[in-house]
Amino acid sequence: MILVTIALAAVGIGLLGLYAGLTARRRAAQAVEECIELVRRRLETSADVTDGRAIRDVAIVHYDALREDAGGLSFSLALLNAAGDGVVLTSINGRTETRTYAKIVHSGRSLQLLSPEEDQVVRAARLGQGPQIRLDDGRDIGVNGRSSTST
């Protein structure tokens, strides 16, 4: 009886390991695809004779930040140049007040902690997926490019 229990536990642990491996492979494949797209877009920019400091990548996402029936008026807007430098503007709109934040982005990263929505809008802008994106696009995006399930 003890051997059967140990065998079942081993099978369960093996299946859990298999699931973790497949999840890691899926995330790695997504990261490779994003890197390829960034390099492709960077090469396109290098071939152009346009000003590299000009705003080129724009994305905006609307959402209901306060989980109230405010009509999804909150938004995050990324305005970036070809090098990924720029700003993320976020406006959190509630029924009685509005807060607006601006965060500097350098090479696609912010020195300040980005919210998941801000991080997603920066990544979408860098990948040329703007100008308007949706939060429910199936990507597992956490804070500052890290998966929401990692620590």
Side-chain angles (χ1 to χ4, degrees):
M1 186 66 176
I2 293 175
L3 291 177
V4 172
T5 304
I6 292 173
L8 288 176
V11 168
I13 291 171
L15 290 174
L16 187 61
L18 181 63
Y19 173 76
L22 291 174
T23 301
R25 183 186 182 287
R26 180 181 52 84
R27 289 183 182 164
Q30 179 184 0
V32 167
E33 289 175 14
E34 288 181 3
C35 287
I36 290 170
E37 181 64 19
L38 285 173
V39 168
R40 185 190 64 74
R41 288 178 53 81
R42 185 67 174 197
L43 289 174
E44 283 178 2
T45 303
S46 301
D48 292 341
V49 289
T50 58
D51 184 2
R53 297 171 295 170
I55 292 176
R56 182 187 88 155
D57 300 327
V58 176
I60 187 169
V61 63
H62 291 272
Y63 52 95
D64 188 5
L66 302 176
R67 307 288 189 255
E68 30 179 72
D69 191 22
L73 297 176
S74 297
F75 68 88
S76 291
L77 170 69
L79 302 167
L80 307 172
N81 65 12
D85 300 335
V87 66
V88 176
L89 301 173
T90 298
S91 179
I92 307 297
N93 297 298
R95 291 177 189 252
T96 59
E97 71 177 320
T98 297
R99 294 176 186 239
T100 304
Y101 305 92
K103 297 178 182 175
I104 302 296
V105 177
H106 181 68
S107 297
R109 299 266 182 209
S110 175
L111 296 177
Q112 297 173 299
L113 190 63
L114 296 178
S115 71
E117 296 84 6
E118 290 168 331
D119 191 60
Q120 184 171 359
V121 80
V122 167
R123 289 180 66 187
R126 293 291 314 264
L127 293 170
Q129 297 173 344
Q132 187 168 358
I133 62 169
R134 296 175 48 131
L135 283 178
D136 58 351
D137 65 358
R139 287 184 287 166
D140 182 22
I141 297 178
V143 178
N144 289 335
R146 292 185 294 271
S147 166
S148 60
T149 57
S150 67
T151 319

